[in-house]
């Protein structure tokens, strides 16, 4: 009998050991969790968690942005869970996956998030969201993207934008350029250098909609891939058009290639360069160099690191503690803000959904969480967040910056980008 009991104990111990190995493997390989342990109620029952899906391009051709953004949002959730006790006492459980900035993988991932009963999901990039949104919209599965393009939210369905989109970046820069930079006679000539995905097409669509009304002539639209190492052919054609201003809507790595070659080909200095917020971040300066980026303008929808706003100190604390290499990169600010917004949406849904957490569904998240956003300040780290019927951009404000001595200096106050109803144009989406 004693021998039998001993065998049973050994068997149970082995099972426990292998169970622990499986648990550790699933956390490491699956990329999930800020909810590493169950939280129990006083009666011993397991308290439910609030499961959210994060699509993050941690690797691949946009990793210089995606890794920073992934670090920031997971740091923010860690702060919310560990220091604030979660949302109304409930821990946020994150299911995150690396999209590798690959559209087919992004579509597979959003389906997995629905299958695993996430309440809603976020993406870092407009490319990821464009790949995900057909599946999500069809299933009434809400989500928002940090960096957006008009195609993600027009016409408005179940996908939202955390920040103004790439079309808003172009429109805000173009307006600032006409009012503060352009001093020539007649109509300025602008060339567009755009990434061949929604990051670039958003700027192109805004230019199609507004350039004539703003008094700007578009003299060329030049597309590039996310993996370019040489854009000489496009730049030769661009130089022949003799533009007054060049607007680049891309990610940091290809933007850096273009800017370095514009310096080498004596195009810049000489023309004005403006960048959309997809490529205008500290990574651009690191990749292209301080000298090559001196004087370049850009649009970005968050504050800078040296500004005194309520949410800055805690964000800096976590960044310096867990990811000091990301310090100074405004993409970290954007995605830390994303984490705060996730918590606010969950908080609103919990208090507004009839029956509370027991009746929390993706549809309840949208109706009683996202659509209840009204002036949420996000710690002052970005423009205020509100839902407006017919406009799925949750924030509308951007600012214009200029690089000076390797630092992005603020030039403008917050400028609210007006809604452009792209769906009213026959060419939109074609």
């Amino acid at each position: 009998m004693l021998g039998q009991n001993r065998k049973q104990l050994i068997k149970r111990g082995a099972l426990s050991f292998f169970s622990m190995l499986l648990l550790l493997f699933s956390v490491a390989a699956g990329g999930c969790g800020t909810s590493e342990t169950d939280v129990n109620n006083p009666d011993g029952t397991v308290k439910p968690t609030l499961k959210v899906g994060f699509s993050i391009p941690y690797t691949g051709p946009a990793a210089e942005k995606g890794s920073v953004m992934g670090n920031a949002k997971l740091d923010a959730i860690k702060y919310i869970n560990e220091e604030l006790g979660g949302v109304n006492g409930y821990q946020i459980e994150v299911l995150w996956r690396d999209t590798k900035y690959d559209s087919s993988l992004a579509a597979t991932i959003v389906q997995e998030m629905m299958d695993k009963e996430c309440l809603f999901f976020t993406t870092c990039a407009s490319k990821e969201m464009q790949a995900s949104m057909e599946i999500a919209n069809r299933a009434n599965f809400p989500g928002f993207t940090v960096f957006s393009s008009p195609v993600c939210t027009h016409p408005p369905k179940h996908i939202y934008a955390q920040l103004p989109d790439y079309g808003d970046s172009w429109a805000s820069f173009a307006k600032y350029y006409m009012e503060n930079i352009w001093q020539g006679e007649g109509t300025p000539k602008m060339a567009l250098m755009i990434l061949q995905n929604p990051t670039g097409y958003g700027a192109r669509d805004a230019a199609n909609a507004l350039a004539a009304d703003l008094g700007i002539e578009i003299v060329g639209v030049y597309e590039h891939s996310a993996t370019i190492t040489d854009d000489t052919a496009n730049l030769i054609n661009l130089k022949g058009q003799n533009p007054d201003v060049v607007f680049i809507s891309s990610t940091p790595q290809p933007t850096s290639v273009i800017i370095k070659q514009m310096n080498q080909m004596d195009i810049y200095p000489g023309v004005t360069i403006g960048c959309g917020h997809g490529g205008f971040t500290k990574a651009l300066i690191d990749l292209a160099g301080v000298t090559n980026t001196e004087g370049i303008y850009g649009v970005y929808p968050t504050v800078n690191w040296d500004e005194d706003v309520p949410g800055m100190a805690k964000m800096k604390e976590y960044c310096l503690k867990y990811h000091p290499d990301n310090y100074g990169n405004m993409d970290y600010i954007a995605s830390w803000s994303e984490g705060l917004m996730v918590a606010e949406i969950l908080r609103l849904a919990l208090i507004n959904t009839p029956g509370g957490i027991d009746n929390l569904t993706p549809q309840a998240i949208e109706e009683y969480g996202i659509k209840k956003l009204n002036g949420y300040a996000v710690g002052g780290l970005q423009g205020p967040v509100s839902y407006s019927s017919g406009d799925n951009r949750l924030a509308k404000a951007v600012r214009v910056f200029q690089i000076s001595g390797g630092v992005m200096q603020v030039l403008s106050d917050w400028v609210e980008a007006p809604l452009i109803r792209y769906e009213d144009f026959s060419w939109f989406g074609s």
Side-chain angles (χ1 to χ4, degrees):
M1 183 72 176
L2 193 59
Q4 185 177 358
N5 288 342
R6 186 163 177 252
K7 287 179 181 178
Q8 289 175 342
L9 285 170
I10 292 170
K11 183 178 180 181
R12 280 199 292 267
L15 287 171
S16 297
F17 174 75
F18 285 112
S19 296
M20 182 60 70
L21 283 179
L22 286 170
L23 175 61
L24 290 171
F25 177 79
S26 67
V27 170
C32 3
T34 45
S35 175
E36 290 140 355
T37 57
D38 290 328
V39 179
N40 293 327
N41 288 312
D43 63 1
T45 59
V46 176
K47 194 170 187 177
T49 57
L50 304 166
K51 187 183 286 189
V52 180
F54 286 172
S55 289
I56 307 170
Y58 253 115
T59 61
E64 74 276 8
K65 284 183 73 70
S67 60
V68 177
M69 296 176 71
N71 292 341
K73 69 187 74 183
L74 294 176
D75 287 351
I77 300 301
K78 182 178 181 69
Y79 157 64
I80 292 159
N81 279 340
E82 296 183 5
E83 289 199 34
L84 303 184
V87 179
N88 290 9
Y90 297 99
Q91 295 281 292
I92 301 173
E93 179 185 353
V94 175
L95 170 66
W96 73 262
R97 293 290 184 263
D98 182 2
T99 66
K100 308 182 191 299
Y101 204 55
D102 179 272
S103 295
S104 59
L105 187 54
T108 301
I109 287 168
V110 75
Q111 183 63 57
E112 179 191 2
M113 290 171 177
M114 290 190 293
D115 292 344
K116 293 189 174 178
E117 299 183 334
C118 290
L119 292 168
F120 66 112
F121 77 109
T122 75
T123 69
C124 292
S126 57
K127 177 182 177 180
E128 296 168 315
M129 185 55 83
Q130 185 183 37
S132 306
M133 66 188 216
E134 181 181 351
I135 296 168
N137 279 327
R138 192 166 58 239
N140 298 332
F141 183 52
F144 71 83
T145 182
V146 182
F147 294 116
S148 186
S149 187
V151 72
C152 299
T153 56
H154 294 269
K157 293 182 181 178
H158 303 289
I159 301 304
Y160 299 82
Q162 173 187 333
L163 300 166
D165 62 39
Y166 292 125
D168 296 327
S169 265
W170 181 90
S172 298
F173 173 77
K175 188 173 185 294
Y176 183 89
Y177 175 80
M178 293 301 293
E179 293 176 354
N180 299 280
I181 302 173
W182 171 245
Q183 296 180 345
E185 297 180 359
T187 301
K189 296 189 293 183
M190 177 184 284
L192 303 180
M193 305 288 289
I194 63 171
L195 188 60
Q196 54 189 23
N197 70 31
T199 304
Y201 300 150
R204 178 203 62 191
D205 290 346
N208 285 341
L210 299 178
D213 291 341
L214 290 171
I216 296 172
E217 179 187 359
I218 305 298
V219 295
V221 179
Y222 305 96
E223 297 186 18
H224 57 264
S225 74
T227 57
I228 59 163
T229 57
D230 183 356
D231 208 26
T232 301
N234 273 338
L235 288 171
I236 289 172
N237 289 332
L238 178 148
K239 192 173 184 179
Q241 294 294 330
N242 194 30
D244 300 293
V245 55
V246 176
F247 188 81
I248 307 172
S249 188
S250 188
T251 52
Q253 191 278 332
T255 302
S256 73
V257 171
I258 292 166
I259 287 173
K260 285 190 287 187
Q261 290 193 296
M262 288 179 74
N263 278 267
Q264 292 163 3
M265 296 172 67
D266 294 324
I267 300 171
Y268 183 81
V271 301
T272 299
I273 295 179
C275 294
H277 60 272
F280 192 73
T281 187
K282 181 177 178 293
L284 171 61
I285 301 171
D286 294 341
L287 290 165
V290 172
T291 301
N292 287 332
T293 54
E294 181 69 20
I296 288 175
Y297 295 88
V299 174
Y300 207 81
T302 73
V303 298
N304 212 336
W305 283 81
D306 58 358
E307 296 186 59
D308 184 16
V309 297
M312 183 62 69
K314 184 58 67 175
M315 184 193 70
K316 283 184 174 180
E317 175 191 328
Y318 270 71
C319 184
L320 288 170
K321 183 175 181 179
Y322 295 107
H323 299 100
D325 290 346
N326 298 160
Y327 190 86
N329 191 320
M330 291 192 295
D331 285 340
Y332 190 97
I333 300 177
S335 265
W336 176 275
S337 300
E338 173 195 354
L340 300 184
M341 280 181 57
V342 164
E344 178 65 6
I345 289 167
L346 291 168
R347 186 189 72 82
L348 290 170
L350 282 168
I351 64 175
N352 290 308
T353 300
I357 194 166
D358 292 336
N359 292 326
L360 215 53
T361 63
Q363 293 71 40
I365 287 288
E366 183 170 22
E367 189 65 30
Y368 298 110
I370 295 172
K371 291 186 176 181
K372 294 296 184 182
L373 288 164
N374 184 19
Y376 175 54
V378 205
L381 296 168
Q382 62 165 76
V385 172
S386 297
Y387 168 73
S388 304
S389 180
D391 186 356
N392 280 14
R393 301 171 305 155
L394 299 176
K396 285 84 173 171
V398 299
R399 294 192 298 178
V400 178
F401 293 75
Q402 186 177 28
I403 299 173
S404 176
V407 178
M408 295 173 177
Q409 305 284 358
V410 181
L411 294 183
S412 75
D413 292 329
W414 290 104
V415 178
E416 183 158 318
L419 174 64
I420 304 170
R421 297 194 179 280
Y422 292 97
E423 56 269 36
D424 293 344
F425 293 95
S426 60
W427 46 260
F428 180 64
S430 61

